Each structure stands twice: as structure tokens, then as C-alpha cells.
Amino acid sequence: MEKAINRQRVLLQQLQPFPSSSSPLISASVCAAGDSAAYQRNSCFGDDVVVVAAYRTAICKSKRGGFKDTYPEELLTAVLKALLDKTNLNPNEVGDIVVGTVLAPGSQRATECRMAAFYAGFPETVPIRTVNRQCSSGLQAVADVAASIKAGFYDIGIGAGLESMTANSVAWDGSINPKVNKFQQVQDCLLPMGITSENVAFRYGVTRQEQDQAAVESHRKAAAATAAGKFKEEIVPVTTKIVDPKTGEEKQVTISVDDGIRPETSLSGLAKLRPVFKKDGSTTAGNSSQVSDGAGAVLLMRRDVAMQKGFPILGPYVSYLSEVFPSLAGFFRKTPILVWMANKSIFLGFSVSLQALFISTKISFKIKQFHRIEYDYMCDSIYYTRNINEANSCNCTGYPLLASRSFAAVGVDPAVMGVGPAVAIPAAVKSAGLQIEDVDLFEINEAFASQFVYCRKKLELDPAKVNVNGGALALGHPLGATGARCVSTLLNEMKRRGKDCRFGVISMCIGSGMGAAAVFERGDAVDGLTNAWPIQSHNLLSKDAM
């Protein structure tokens, strides 16, 4: 990150206007970043997809927790309504709602979600659908909405997640095709998740003590976060009922705290638990995620739409980009240009070589200290940055909370499905044009301590950056809702940490052998020179030796 900041400082020094009219308009200079730059920088665009708000219910133990007598659609209703109430969003403007959900029968859950939208106050004109990529379903819903917004299908959408493991349990419906016996990987798709955890521990040498220690840390951090009130901003209180199983008496309650956290969890206590899935194994009820009930929802928009509507902002307004001179874009496709405006006159300076006079594939010049014209020949377009004072008149004061930067879903060996994050995270980070050390926070789903420990060690992640408020070992893992829960938790933690916390990653393993990961960027850390995009080679960067 320090290297990137230094590179930006060099760029800005190069772009300062010359003090005298007798000075040349352009001059050559060595780029301090040079070929060592890990990624090029590109401007933030109005069609970036940003997270405006994210909320979740508390996560409760299935069959015996706070939501054991709550209809699943009531959980989804609570978070959808919270998005409307807390942002004052006009529900008619939502283009689509996508809900990640796993265990319920598809057609029934789809209908329940439609019912929830009506309960929450959405009109009949707003569509809704479900998506199922097992444990990553909530994150997949967010990714699907982000992709649809980026594609121009609509400007505002909601990605959500819902699971009631009280109402629906893990089970196989119908007979199993005998053909599975001919394909080992197909057989492995049917392995109980606990067995895949044992496989990870055995294959990669994750000890019982390491797993139990991870569980202790998860409960400790989650308990501390709860005590400090860190989850209050993300949790929507749900008023529901609890039925006494003995007397049948109903009692109205309001659930606003995760009920699976055990602050007293200790290594000595966990050591007493027997393995659940394998006689001589190491996976226990104490170092596995809890089966849970919960829901979450994430509101996404185009960046320019969010700004125009004055939605939640962190930090100063930098620029709003719109394309101009489209007829010239093709002509200047491969030629960097310098544009200088004075007294309504425009002068164009052309470079003879792509690397001779300019310090990056990105060309950006201040114009009369109020405007900037930018040409990026990677995008075949010219951009104009509005007058800063004029831009501020749009009732915006800064950038939206979180920008979606990349998403990746990958396949892995079904027998060790828990290793998914170790493959998905590098893929998503690379797609965002970053390196893993650039990431400030990680939310990695703790399906089992074995796979969580393995992935953290494999990627050599700093433990101080990972699941800083605990994870699923303490909070629970409502399958379809986990991805949306992680977005809410990550967003609020990045908000608390301020501008020094710029990039965050969410990831989880997926049953039957997959992994998913997404990269998010803090909105007010973005400016005209700091939006990271990948490049295939360093051939277009200036050479230090020149």
C-alpha cells in the first residue's frame, strides 16, 4: 500500500501546472513506480457498483434459539424493510432482489421470498428470485446484483441471504443414482461435510489443538465485539415469538443479539469433546460452525446514482466522470495526449512513443486547477472531470461506503471442499489487480476450524486481519445468509477503522468442492488515480532506466 501511495505522490507532482508560460507544456520524467508496480491505476467510474447499506438479523441456534418459532420469510422481511426504512429508498426504484438460500425446496422458498418482499413494502412491480451456490449463496446473490448493475440491466438492486435451519435441514431427497460408484469425485460430492473437514485436517496436517484454538479465538473475539456494541449497527432487531415446547405458551420477544456465542469457551473445555464424524478424528461440535437461522440484505447501486441521491457517504467528493469527445476516442486510441485549456482554447500535444514522455499508461493533467481531462487508451475513451464546486452541488459529500471490486468462484477437490478459500481468494485478489498483502481485512467463513486454519496458513495471512470480530465457529453459519452477513460485518468494521482500511475480502468454502471470494474497496479511499485494475504485463509502463 505504501508503494502505491508513493506512486500516486509522484504522479501528482508530475501533473502540477507549470509556473511560467515560457515553460514547456510537457517533459519527460522517470516513473518512481516503474516496472515494479504491481498493478496500474485507473479512474473510478460512475458505473462502479457500490454498497450503500447492509443489514442482518441476529444469528440464532436452529431448533432451540431465538428464531426457532419464526417463519423464514419473517427473517427476510426484517432485513428488506430495514434497507427501506434506514435509507429512505423509494422501493419502486429497485430493479431486482436476489436472495441466496440453500436448504428449502426451490419453488416454496421462491414464493416465501416474494411474500417477504410484499411484507417489507415493495410493490408488485419489483421482481425477486433465488440463487443457490450452497454456502456462498448470499455472496453469490450480491455478486449477481453487482454484475447486473454493471451490465446496465438496472441501477439499484438488493442482494440478500436467508436460511432457517430450523425449518429446513440438510437431507437428500430421493434415491441416489448408482452411476456414482464409477466416479470417485462424484462419490466425494456426497460426503458429509464433517468428513471433508477430517480429510482437510489429515491431508494438510491441521492438529486438534490448532482447531480448538481457532474456536476459542472465534468465541473470544465475537464476545468482545458484542460487549463493545460492534454488531449493533448491522443487526436489525426482530420482534417474534417463542413457544414453550412443554406448555405451548407463546411469548413475544425481540431478538437483537447473536445467541450462539460462548464467551467461556476454553481449550480445556473443548478438549473434552469427542470427535463427531470419525472415531480417531479431530472435528468436534466445538470446532465446527453451528447450524443456525438468520438473514441479511445488501443494497447496491451505480456509484453515480448513489451520489445523486445523497446516500451514505464517507469522505470528500473527488470526481464524477462522464465521456466526452466520443468521435475522437477512436482516433486517439493508441496515442497518449496532453490537453490544455486556456481562454476556451484547446491545445493537443502528442507523444512520439508510448513510453517516451509519459509516466504511466494513465494520462491525467490538471486544467486551470479546476478541471482535468483524462485519456486512458486501455479503455478507448476520453473523460472529463466536472468542476469540483459544480459537482458538490449535487448534494453529495463524498463516496459511498463500499465499492465492489471483484468476485471469483472456483472449483476444488470435493473430498477437501474446505480448501476453497485458499484458491478463491488469490483469484479474486488478482482479478482486482491487487496482491494479498494489499488487503486490510478478511472475513473468511469458519465452516470448520480445520479448513479455516488451513486456508489462513496456506495464504500466510496475518491473523490480526482475519475475522477480527469472530466468525461462524462462534456466530453460526446459516448457509444461504452467511455471505450477506459477512458483507454487513466487513462494511461496518472498515467504516470503524477509517481510511487506512481500504481493501476487504470475503470468502467461504462451498459444499461439493468449490470456493468463492469477493474484494471490496472502501469508497472514500478512491479517487481519480487510485482505482486498481489489473494489467497483463508491464510493457506499457515507463522504464526506470529511461
Side-chain angles (χ1 to χ4, degrees), residues 60-69 166 242 255 259 293:
C60 297
K61 295 175 285 188
S62 73
K63 302 187 185 303
R64 54 197 177 94
F67 294 140
K68 72 181 184 67
D69 299 307
T166 295
I242 292 287
I255 306 297
D259 67 15
D293 306 330

Side-chain angles (χ1 to χ4, degrees), residues 170-234:
V170 178
W172 186 271
D173 185 17
S175 61
I176 297 176
N177 189 336
K179 188 177 179 180
V180 301
N181 296 320
K182 299 179 181 179
F183 297 86
Q184 183 60 51
Q185 286 184 314
V186 175
Q187 292 181 45
D188 292 341
C189 287
L190 300 176
L191 288 174
M193 294 298 96
I195 294 298
T196 70
S197 171
E198 293 287 5
N199 290 345
V200 170
F202 177 77
R203 186 178 299 186
Y204 301 108
V206 182
T207 67
R208 167 72 181 268
Q209 185 172 358
E210 286 179 306
Q211 295 174 60
D212 287 351
Q213 183 62 50
V216 170
E217 286 298 302
S218 186
H219 282 280
R220 181 188 64 79
K221 289 187 286 188
T226 300
K230 289 186 175 182
F231 294 139
K232 286 184 177 179
E233 289 187 40
E234 63 190 73

Side-chain angles (χ1 to χ4, degrees), residues 62 112 115 123 138 160 190 286 312 387 389 426 459 488 515:
S62 73
E112 290 170 344
M115 293 160 57
L190 300 176
N387 183 292
N389 294 326
L459 298 177
S488 180

Side-chain angles (χ1 to χ4, degrees), residues 230-301:
K230 289 186 175 182
F231 294 139
K232 286 184 177 179
E233 289 187 40
E234 63 190 73
I235 293 180
V236 176
V238 178
T239 299
T240 184
K241 65 179 180 180
I242 292 287
V243 180
D244 188 312
K246 294 182 179 179
T247 66
E249 180 184 356
E250 293 186 5
K251 179 182 178 181
Q252 188 179 75
V253 294
T254 297
I255 306 297
S256 59
V257 178
D258 304 309
D259 67 15
I261 303 170
R262 300 188 298 274
E264 73 285 355
T265 301
S266 65
L267 281 176
S268 59
L270 292 179
K272 299 175 182 178
L273 300 177
R274 295 180 179 180
V276 177
F277 301 97
K278 192 176 178 182
K279 185 177 181 180
D280 57 346
S282 57
T283 300
T284 70
N287 57 35
S288 304
S289 61
Q290 305 170 48
V291 290
S292 310
D293 306 330
V298 182
L299 177 61
L300 300 101
M301 297 184 188

Side-chain angles (χ1 to χ4, degrees), residues 110-408:
T111 300
E112 290 170 344
C113 291
R114 179 68 164 160
M115 293 160 57
F118 287 134
Y119 289 145
F122 286 88
E124 63 185 30
T125 54
V126 177
I128 191 167
R129 68 174 173 89
T130 60
V131 62
N132 187 345
R133 201 195 284 269
Q134 303 207 59
C135 300
S136 72
S137 297
L139 186 61
Q140 186 67 58
V142 173
D144 284 2
V145 170
S148 293
I149 292 175
K150 193 70 174 178
F153 296 158
Y154 46 82
D155 294 335
I156 301 174
I158 294 173
L162 167 66
E163 206 68 59
S164 173
M165 300 182 78
T166 295
N168 309 105
S169 57
V170 178
W172 186 271
D173 185 17
S175 61
I176 297 176
N177 189 336
K179 188 177 179 180
V180 301
N181 296 320
K182 299 179 181 179
F183 297 86
Q184 183 60 51
Q185 286 184 314
V186 175
Q187 292 181 45
D188 292 341
C189 287
L190 300 176
L191 288 174
M193 294 298 96
I195 294 298
T196 70
S197 171
E198 293 287 5
N199 290 345
V200 170
F202 177 77
R203 186 178 299 186
Y204 301 108
V206 182
T207 67
R208 167 72 181 268
Q209 185 172 358
E210 286 179 306
Q211 295 174 60
D212 287 351
Q213 183 62 50
V216 170
E217 286 298 302
S218 186
H219 282 280
R220 181 188 64 79
K221 289 187 286 188
T226 300
K230 289 186 175 182
F231 294 139
K232 286 184 177 179
E233 289 187 40
E234 63 190 73
I235 293 180
V236 176
V238 178
T239 299
T240 184
K241 65 179 180 180
I242 292 287
V243 180
D244 188 312
K246 294 182 179 179
T247 66
E249 180 184 356
E250 293 186 5
K251 179 182 178 181
Q252 188 179 75
V253 294
T254 297
I255 306 297
S256 59
V257 178
D258 304 309
D259 67 15
I261 303 170
R262 300 188 298 274
E264 73 285 355
T265 301
S266 65
L267 281 176
S268 59
L270 292 179
K272 299 175 182 178
L273 300 177
R274 295 180 179 180
V276 177
F277 301 97
K278 192 176 178 182
K279 185 177 181 180
D280 57 346
S282 57
T283 300
T284 70
N287 57 35
S288 304
S289 61
Q290 305 170 48
V291 290
S292 310
D293 306 330
V298 182
L299 177 61
L300 300 101
M301 297 184 188
R302 278 174 52 108
R303 182 187 294 274
D304 53 0
V305 172
M307 288 185 171
Q308 290 165 10
K309 293 182 177 297
F311 277 103
I313 301 298
L314 291 175
Y317 188 99
V318 179
S319 66
Y320 174 90
L321 300 172
S322 58
E323 188 170 347
V324 296
F325 308 141
S327 61
L328 296 179
F331 178 75
F332 294 129
R333 183 177 181 181
K334 294 298 181 183
T335 310
I337 61 172
L338 167 64
V339 184
W340 193 266
M341 295 182 66
N343 298 324
K344 298 182 180 180
S345 297
I346 299 177
F347 301 91
L348 303 180
F350 300 88
S351 71
V352 177
S353 166
L354 292 182
Q355 297 176 349
L357 298 176
F358 296 102
I359 58 177
S360 172
T361 59
K362 177 70 174 179
I363 314 302
S364 177
F365 292 88
K366 287 187 177 180
I367 300 174
K368 297 181 70 174
Q369 300 187 33
F370 292 102
H371 296 77
R372 208 165 51 223
I373 285 183
E374 301 173 336
Y375 175 68
D376 182 353
Y377 51 81
M378 300 295 287
C379 296
D380 294 344
S381 56
I382 301 174
Y383 294 93
Y384 162 66
T385 303
R386 294 168 56 187
N387 183 292
I388 293 177
N389 294 326
E390 174 190 353
N392 283 336
S393 68
C394 75
N395 195 33
C396 297
T397 57
Y399 278 108
L401 294 179
L402 215 60
S404 173
R405 284 288 164 242
S406 70
F407 171 81

